C-alpha cells in the first residue's frame, strides 16, 4: 500500500508481480484523508469544479476514486478565497472523495493571453476579463490549500516539445527551483500530499537530474511532466521506458494528460499509477463513444435507426435504457441529455478499463488485450 501520510509511506506492497513482460506494472492503494485511490487509477477532469455534464454522485457510480480540479480556472472564478470561505472545493462541488488540483502552470501557458515568465513566477492577464494575475510556486501552493486539495501539484514549467537540449535544460532547472519553493510553501498534513513534477523533455540525463532534484524534496508522489505535448506515442513510450524507474518505487507516479486506452495500457506496463485526460468527457460531448468494438461516432447516419445499445453488457444509463438511435438523435439536435449520456458511458468505459487492468495485474496476467 502507498499511503500519503506524514510518516514514511510503507513500502508499496505490489499486490502481485505482474506477468514478466509487465514486471513494472503495479497495482496498489493510495490512502488519503478523503479516502482510498485504487491504482492504476484514471482521474476524470473536473475543470471548473464540475465534471462537465455529470453529477458528482454519477461520477462516483462510474467507479472514479479521485477527480481533478484546475487551479487556473478556479482562481479566476469564483476565486480561491471565496471557495475557502464557502467551505472548500469538496463542499462547494459536493465531492467528498480525493481531489487533485493542478498547479495552474500548464493552463496559464495554454489559456491566458499575454504572459511573462520570470524567476518569480508567471504574470498573466485573465482570459476572462484581462485583469492581471501572478502564479508562483508560493501562490499556486496557497491557492491549492485554499481549495482544500487532497493532492497538491508543485508549480512547474511544462517544457514544450520539441525543445533543444539547452532549452530543455534551463526549463528543467527552473522547474527544480520552483519545486523547492513549492515544497517549502506546502502546509503538510496527514492524509494530504504534494506531488513534484519532473521535466527534461526527451533527454534522459535531464530527466535523471530532474528526478534527483525532486527526490531530495521528498514529495508524497511524483508526476512525469512534459509528455503528451505533441511528441507522439512512440517518443512518449521511449521516455517512459526509463523515466518511471528514476522515481521512488514506493510512491505514486502520475502521467499527466494521458490518454487514450492504448496510451494508458502502455504507460501502466512501464510503471505509471495515475492518469488524467479530457478525452472521455470532451469526446463524449462531441459524439464519440468508446466501446469494446472501437470508437463509435454516434453522429454517423448509420446509427439513426440502430435500436441497439452502445454496449449490450455496459451498466451505464446510456446502455441500459437507451439506443444508439436515440443517442444519435440527441447529439445531432445538441440536446443536453446527449452530452450527459455519452459522457457517463465514456467515464464508465475508462473506469472499467482501469478495473480490468488492476485485476489482471493482481492475478499476474498480462493485459495487452484491451485497447
Ligand atoms: C494535473 C496537472 C498538474 O500539472 C501541472 O500543474 N503542470 C503540468 N501539467 C501538465 C498537463 C499536461 N497535459 C498534457 N497533455 C494533454 N501534457 C501535460 C504536461 C503537464 C506538465 O508538464 N505540467
Ligand atoms: Zn455504457
Amino acid at each position: 500500500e502507498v499511503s500519503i501520510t506524514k510518516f514514511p509511506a510503507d513500502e508499496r506492497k505490489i499486490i502481485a508481480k505482474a506477468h514478466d513482460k509487465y514486471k513494472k506494472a503495479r497495482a496498489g492503494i493510495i490512502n488519503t484523508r478523503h479516502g482510498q485511490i485504487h491504482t492504476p487509477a484514471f482521474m476524470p477532469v473536473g475543470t471548473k469544479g464540475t465534471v462537465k455534464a455529470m453529477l458528482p454522485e454519477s461520477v462516483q457510480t462510474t467507479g472514479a476514486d479521485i477527480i481533478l480540479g484546475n487551479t487556473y480556472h478556479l482562481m479566476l472564478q469564483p476565486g480561491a478565497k471565496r471557495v475557502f470561505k464557502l467551505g472548500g472545493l469538496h463542499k462547494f462541488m459536493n465531492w467528498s472523495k480525493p481531489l487533485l488540483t493542478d498547479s495552474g502552470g500548464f493552463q496559464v501557458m495554454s489559456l491566458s493571453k499575454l504572459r511573462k515568465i520570470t524567476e518569480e513566477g508567471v504574470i498573466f492577464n485573465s482570459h476572462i476579463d484581462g485583469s492581471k494575475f501572478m502564479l508562483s510556486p508560493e501562490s499556486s501552493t496557497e491557492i491549492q490549500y485554499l481549495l482544500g486539495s487532497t493532492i497538491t501539484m508543485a508549480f512547474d514549467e511544462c517544457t514544450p516539445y520539441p525543445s533543444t537540449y539547452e532549452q530543455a535544460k534551463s526549463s528543467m532547472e527552473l522547474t527544480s527551483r520552483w519545486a523547492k519553493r513549492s515544497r517549502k510553501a506546502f502546509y503538510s498534513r496527514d492524509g494530504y500530499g504534494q506531488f513534484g513534477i519532473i521535466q527534461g523533455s526527451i533527454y534522459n540525463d535531464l530527466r535523471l537530474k530532474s528526478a534527483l532534484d525532486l527526490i531530495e524534496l521528498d514529495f508524497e508522489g511524483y508526476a512525469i511532466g512534459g509528455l503528451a505535448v505533441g511528441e507522439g506515442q512512440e517518443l512518449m513510450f521511449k521516455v517512459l521506458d526509463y523515466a518511471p524507474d528514476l522515481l521512488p518505487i514506493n510512491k505514486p507516479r502520475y502521467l499527466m494528460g494521458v490518454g487514450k486506452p492504448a496510451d494508458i495500457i502502455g504507460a501502466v506496463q512501464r510503471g505509471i499509477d495515475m492518469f488524467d485526460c479530457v478525452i472521455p468527457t470532451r469526446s463524449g460531448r462531441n459524439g464519440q463513444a468508446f466501446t469494446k468494438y472501437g470508437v463509435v461516432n454516434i453522429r454517423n447516419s448509420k446509427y439513426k435507426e440502430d435500436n441497439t445499445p452502445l454496449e449490450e453488457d455496459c451498466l451505464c444509463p446510456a446502455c441500459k435504457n437507451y439506443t444508439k438511435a436515440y443517442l444519435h438523435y440527441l447529439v445531432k439536435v445538441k440536446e443536453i441529455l446527449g452530452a450527459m449520456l455519452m459522457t457517463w458511458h465514456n467515464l464508465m468505459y475508462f473506469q472499467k478499463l482501469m478495473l480490468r487492468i488492476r485485476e489482471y495485474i493482481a492475478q499476474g496476467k498480462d493485459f495487452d488485450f484491451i485497447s
Side-chain angles (χ1 to χ4, degrees):
E1 292 207 345
V2 175
S3 51
I4 294 188
T5 61
K6 205 50 211 119
F7 309 110
D10 311 336
E11 279 301 313
R12 173 194 278 272
K13 294 185 199 66
I14 307 288
I15 292 179
K17 266 264 167 270
H19 185 279
D20 286 281
K21 180 181 169 190
Y22 309 112
K23 61 184 180 310
K24 294 182 182 178
R26 74 258 193 93
I29 293 173
I30 301 174
N31 293 303
T32 79
R33 161 81 179 68
H34 300 113
Q36 296 189 320
I37 303 162
H38 297 87
T39 63
F42 179 82
M43 302 183 279
V45 177
T47 297
K48 298 179 184 172
T50 152
V51 177
K52 293 186 189 318
M54 294 289 286
L55 286 167
E57 42 270 48
S58 311
V59 173
Q60 207 163 309
T61 69
T62 65
D65 287 333
I66 174 171
I67 61 175
L68 198 131
N70 285 129
T71 297
Y72 173 77
H73 291 280
L74 293 166
M75 70 182 272
L76 297 183
Q77 220 175 9
K81 283 204 171 48
R82 175 162 303 158
V83 173
F84 179 74
K85 254 170 39 191
L86 297 169
L89 188 54
H90 280 94
K91 174 153 176 16
F92 194 47
M93 69 181 290
N94 185 32
W95 174 263
S96 59
K97 299 174 114 180
L99 268 174
L100 182 146
T101 48
D102 74 321
S103 59
F106 184 78
Q107 299 242 313
V108 165
M109 298 318 283
S110 50
L111 288 173
S112 69
K113 299 187 292 287
L114 299 176
R115 65 226 160 219
K116 191 163 170 287
I117 301 180
T118 66
E119 180 64 32
E120 174 63 17
V122 182
I123 299 158
F124 63 95
N125 295 341
S126 153
H127 70 286
I128 299 173
D129 60 9
S131 53
K132 205 170 151 111
F133 285 84
M134 139 83 92
L135 257 183
S136 66
E138 293 77 13
S139 67
S140 167
T141 305
E142 203 223 348
I143 287 166
Q144 296 176 73
Y145 167 77
L146 292 171
L147 295 174
S149 164
T150 315
I151 299 177
T152 297
M153 297 306 290
F155 189 70
D156 69 325
E157 177 180 70
C158 174
T159 307
Y161 177 81
S163 283
T164 64
Y165 182 85
E166 286 317 314
Q167 287 165 336
K169 183 168 187 289
S170 65
S171 175
M172 179 274 286
E173 288 164 348
L174 177 62
T175 285
S176 289
R177 294 193 297 276
W178 281 358
K180 197 173 170 91
R181 287 168 49 192
S182 301
R183 194 55 172 164
K184 194 159 159 286
F186 182 64
Y187 169 47
S188 75
R189 291 169 286 172
D190 276 3
Y192 291 85
Q194 184 181 38
F195 283 15
I197 304 174
I198 66 160
Q199 297 290 342
S201 189
I202 57 170
Y203 307 103
N204 56 11
D205 58 326
L206 299 182
R207 285 282 176 186
L208 174 59
K209 180 67 174 68
S210 186
L212 294 173
D213 289 350
L214 269 57
I215 288 169
E216 247 179 71
L217 300 169
D218 190 26
F219 284 104
E220 281 71 41
Y222 294 87
I224 299 180
L227 291 178
V229 286
E231 76 281 1
Q233 189 189 73
E234 193 182 341
L235 250 181
M236 180 173 80
F237 282 171
K238 220 167 140 226
V239 173
L240 293 176
D241 281 341
Y242 66 86
D245 303 323
L246 307 176
L247 299 168
I249 189 160
N250 67 325
K251 294 193 173 179
R253 298 154 181 174
Y254 166 26
L255 178 58
M256 289 171 291
V258 174
K260 292 187 295 296
D263 300 331
I264 290 174
I265 288 168
V268 169
Q269 291 167 344
R270 293 166 172 82
I272 299 295
D273 304 306
M274 296 165 74
F275 300 88
D276 86 87
C277 189
V278 294
I279 287 183
T281 40
R282 185 176 296 170
S283 64
R285 296 196 304 279
N286 296 337
Q288 287 193 316
F290 284 82
T291 77
K292 59 186 163 187
Y293 311 110
V295 175
V296 167
N297 280 300
I298 201 67
R299 302 173 61 91
N300 189 309
S301 57
K302 69 181 172 189
Y303 298 118
K304 64 176 185 284
E305 295 195 351
D306 183 329
N307 240 353
T308 65
L310 284 170
E311 287 183 314
E312 63 293 334
D313 51 354
C314 176
L315 298 176
C316 88
C319 297
K320 271 195 328 211
N321 308 320
Y322 305 96
T323 65
K324 287 202 273 288
Y326 184 59
L327 294 170
H328 169 83
Y329 160 72
L330 289 178
V331 172
K332 288 283 272 198
V333 297
K334 296 190 179 8
E335 269 300 327
I336 293 170
L337 183 59
M340 291 164 66
L341 293 171
M342 292 291 285
T343 301
W344 201 325
H345 170 77
N346 281 351
L347 288 179
M348 196 82 147
Y349 181 88
F350 270 65
Q351 292 303 335
K352 249 185 322 196
L353 170 69
M354 303 319 289
L355 179 66
R356 289 167 71 203
I357 289 174
R358 294 193 294 265
E359 284 168 351
Y360 274 76
I361 292 172
Q363 294 152 19
K365 288 155 64 175
D366 64 9
F367 46 88
D368 245 345
F369 62 91
I370 335 172
S371 78

